[in-house]
Amino acid sequence: MNDAVEAAHGGRAEQISASALAEVGLRYEVDGEIATITLNRPDKRNAQTFATWSALARIGDDLPETVRIVVVKGEGPSFSAGIDLRLFTPGGVPGEGSFSSVLGEGFEERIAQAQKAFLWLRRPEIISIAAVQGHAIGAGFQLALACDLRIVADDVQFCMKEPALGLVPDLTGTKPLVDLVGLPRALELCVTARKVGAEEALRLRLAELAVPVEELDTAVADLAAALLATERSAATATKRLLQGAGTRTLEEQAAAERAEQVVRIRSLFASG
Ligand code: ACO
């Protein structure tokens, strides 16, 4: 974990500080039921490092229970240009080293730690929205895929660049990608590493909505408001139910619907 992020813990329990987040290129604001995480290194196109992922995981760990919507966005012309390419150079990223210096035992665990930054965005208690403008490459594309919903600007360029660099996408993006676009299209997108613009993203279900770039924030705010209009426990139960649908049989899913509904009806009518 990055020293600044570690220091901000004070060992644990304390909220990560704004200055520690700023040091790793993140901004984090909680306004009532909405938390907004902004990748904030626009001069480097919001490239991500291990410190970025440690901090994102910490935000997830410390998320106030009152938060129902998490918006993930990027400052500047790009959502995120993916992993910081300095990690591939001998000099690496100051304070974090390079891939050649972390290859030993424990490297797989290091990847598992990085994946935690992405996995919490699917928790049933929240709905996460990626607001994506410009380039969303590699880890940037995977961060957008980690969110429940994606609103894109009309200049969006999704690209799964990892295979072109000799890697695989390993930041939890392969499952949502296959779930959204199907195996053949996911294979084609990953192995060609081609760019997907807004119109195709909508067609492939990689985005729920595409808007002019200057309308991105408003579109996200409108969606958040519409999502918040539904009572929280009903929204959480519905998300949990829908998330399980892909791996259950029809009969199992019907049973899951019944189980959730019994709880809903009891809570709605218990006092009556
Ligand atoms: N890592 C580190 N620095 C980056 C990255 C990155 N991934 N992407 C951009 N930057 C830096 C550039 O080096 C440049 O820095 P400098 O001003 O100090 O020279 C600055 O950001 C601006 O970059 P430009 O290329 O000038 O910006 P432009 O808007 O023209 O292009 C683009 C943006 C298309 C995103 C381009 O920067 C690019 O292709 N970046 C690399 C993308 C990439 O291969 N990412 C890895 C994917 S694989 C993975 O994520 C696991």
Side-chain angles (χ1 to χ4, degrees):
M1 185 179 290
N2 173 279
D3 287 346
V5 175
E6 184 91 88
H9 293 190
R12 257 247 64 94
E14 282 171 41
Q15 289 277 324
I16 187 164
S17 74
S19 61
L21 288 172
E23 212 169 298
V24 300
L26 288 175
R27 201 166 65 231
Y28 171 53
E29 289 138 339
V30 176
D31 181 7
E33 295 174 303
I34 303 177
T36 303
I37 300 169
T38 307
L39 303 175
N40 192 24
R41 218 154 55 100
D43 54 321
K44 299 296 177 194
R45 302 300 182 263
N46 301 322
Q48 304 170 35
T49 70
F50 282 99
T52 317
W53 300 322
S54 293
L56 286 173
R58 278 300 315 279
I59 290 172
D61 286 346
D62 296 343
L63 196 73
E65 281 181 15
T66 46
V67 169
R68 295 182 55 191
I69 303 287
V70 176
V71 176
V72 181
K73 57 191 282 196
E75 191 66 49
S78 300
F79 176 74
S80 172
I83 197 166
D84 193 317
L85 292 172
R86 289 176 302 171
L87 286 166
F88 295 94
T89 65
V93 172
E96 298 191 46
S98 69
F99 280 122
S100 55
S101 65
V102 295
L103 285 179
E105 217 172 301
F107 184 49
E108 192 172 333
E109 176 52 29
R110 196 138 190 225
I111 298 174
Q113 290 299 323
Q115 289 173 329
K116 286 185 180 166
F118 298 74
L119 289 170
W120 68 269
L121 290 160
R122 293 286 179 153
R123 270 185 216 152
E125 301 77 27
I126 59 167
I127 296 180
S128 51
I129 306 170
V132 190
Q133 83 287 7
H135 291 97
I137 303 178
F141 190 5
Q142 294 191 72
L143 184 58
L145 285 166
C147 292
D148 293 309
L149 305 170
R150 281 150 295 281
I151 297 193
V152 300
D154 49 14
D155 68 347
V156 76
Q157 299 264 283
F158 286 121
C159 170
M160 201 64 93
K161 185 82 174 284
E162 285 83 345
L165 299 176
L167 306 169
V168 296
D170 66 343
L171 294 168
T172 78
T174 57
K175 182 164 173 54
L177 183 65
V178 170
D179 286 348
L180 288 168
V181 307
L183 174 58
R185 182 61 72 194
L187 181 63
E188 182 262 325
L189 290 180
C190 290
V191 178
T192 65
R194 73 175 173 86
K195 296 189 178 88
V196 174
E199 198 183 311
E200 187 180 11
L202 279 178
R203 201 164 10 97
L204 294 181
R205 301 185 303 163
L206 287 168
E208 276 57 61
L209 181 67
V211 296
V213 67
E214 63 278 8
E215 293 173 20
L216 189 57
D217 286 344
T218 307
V220 170
D222 289 349
L223 176 60
L227 293 166
L228 286 172
T230 289
E231 193 265 328
R232 183 174 201 168
S233 51
T236 300
T238 301
K239 180 173 171 185
R240 193 167 46 225
L241 187 59
L242 294 174
Q243 280 181 317
T247 53
R248 295 193 192 108
T249 65
L250 182 58
E251 289 73 18
E252 288 166 347
Q253 184 67 6
E257 290 174 358
R258 293 195 297 276
E260 292 283 9
Q261 195 70 308
V262 165
V263 177
R264 300 302 323 134
I265 300 276
R266 281 194 180 133
S267 91
L268 283 174
F269 296 102
S271 56

